[in-house]
Amino acid sequence: PPRSTLSSSSAASDVYKRQEWDQAIKHFQKENKLARNTGNQNLVAWTLFNGAEALVQSGDLVEAKDDLEEAEVLLEQMGDNVGFLAVQRVWGMYHTNAGNFGKAVSYFEKARKMALELGLPSDIADLDYRMGEMCQKMGDTDSARIHFKRSVNTFRDIGAEAEQRRSQKALDDLDK
């Protein structure tokens, strides 16, 4: 990809990590435009679902839905299983925020199964974290605790300290 796409990607990643969703959305939209102009369909799909995650986090489910639908089609056509897994995870987050917990579970379980098959422990741990969040929103503290504990353990096992702390905090906050 062109150098400007790479620098935009880095900027988008930085604001995303800081959870500055409005800025992340702007960066992913800019990156998506560049990807479309260069014909890079893989990057188009990845910017769509990353941007959709930022949209979900900011509460804009309408635009997130459109972006997820487009990304899902592109990734399936390309056979990009890792990207497709990520779209399923974001769909789970989308449905959690929309209060459609049955659909959220279905998407999270599909993504978790794919992560297991692909051997992606960080994705497995993140999905456990996301399922814990969903259970917490449903008021199911016992199930949330199970998912957060699994997330803590997996992140610890792979040495992902920041993610382990995030999961541990969520677990600790259940008792407050």
Side-chain angles (χ1 to χ4, degrees):
R3 188 169 180 80
S4 60
T5 302
L6 293 173
S7 62
S8 176
S9 179
S10 176
S13 179
D14 290 344
V15 295
Y16 184 87
K17 288 177 185 174
R18 292 191 306 267
Q19 298 184 357
E20 296 172 359
W21 304 123
D22 291 339
Q23 288 299 315
I25 292 164
K26 289 177 187 172
H27 282 288
F28 284 121
Q29 288 171 339
K30 178 181 175 185
E31 204 175 296
N32 183 269
K33 184 178 179 182
L34 289 168
R36 288 179 192 277
N37 288 342
T38 62
N40 186 335
Q41 292 300 301
N42 189 267
L43 189 56
V44 167
W46 279 68
T47 58
L48 283 169
F49 77 73
N50 280 303
E53 184 171 351
L55 288 162
V56 167
Q57 296 286 12
S58 73
D60 186 348
L61 299 183
V62 174
E63 190 173 342
K65 183 177 187 275
D66 293 341
D67 289 354
L68 284 169
E69 288 172 345
E70 184 180 355
E72 191 170 37
V73 168
L74 289 171
L75 292 162
E76 194 166 26
Q77 288 172 349
M78 290 183 283
D80 182 341
N81 291 331
V82 174
F84 192 78
L85 177 161
V87 168
Q88 304 312 299
R89 178 181 53 78
V90 179
W91 272 122
M93 294 168 64
Y94 171 93
H95 286 293
T96 296
N97 287 1
N100 302 324
F101 299 119
K103 285 185 178 182
V105 168
S106 176
Y107 280 106
F108 285 142
E109 287 178 349
K110 183 177 182 178
R112 194 172 193 284
K113 181 180 177 194
M114 292 178 72
L116 285 165
E117 290 171 359
L118 294 168
L120 301 170
S122 63
D123 287 273
I124 295 165
D126 185 64
L127 286 157
D128 281 325
Y129 177 81
R130 301 296 175 186
M131 287 189 280
E133 285 183 318
M134 180 198 63
C135 291
Q136 187 176 17
K137 286 183 180 182
M138 293 171 48
D140 185 351
T141 305
D142 292 338
S143 293
R145 184 173 279 100
I146 291 167
H147 288 294
F148 287 140
K149 280 182 182 177
R150 287 192 337 201
S151 180
V152 167
N153 292 337
T154 304
F155 280 133
R156 182 196 62 236
D157 292 347
I158 63 173
E161 294 175 10
E163 292 83 357
Q164 180 187 349
R165 284 191 301 274
R166 176 191 67 169
S167 296
Q168 185 64 55
K169 181 180 181 328
L171 181 59
D172 293 345
D173 286 350
L174 287 175
D175 297 322
K176 291 183 180 179

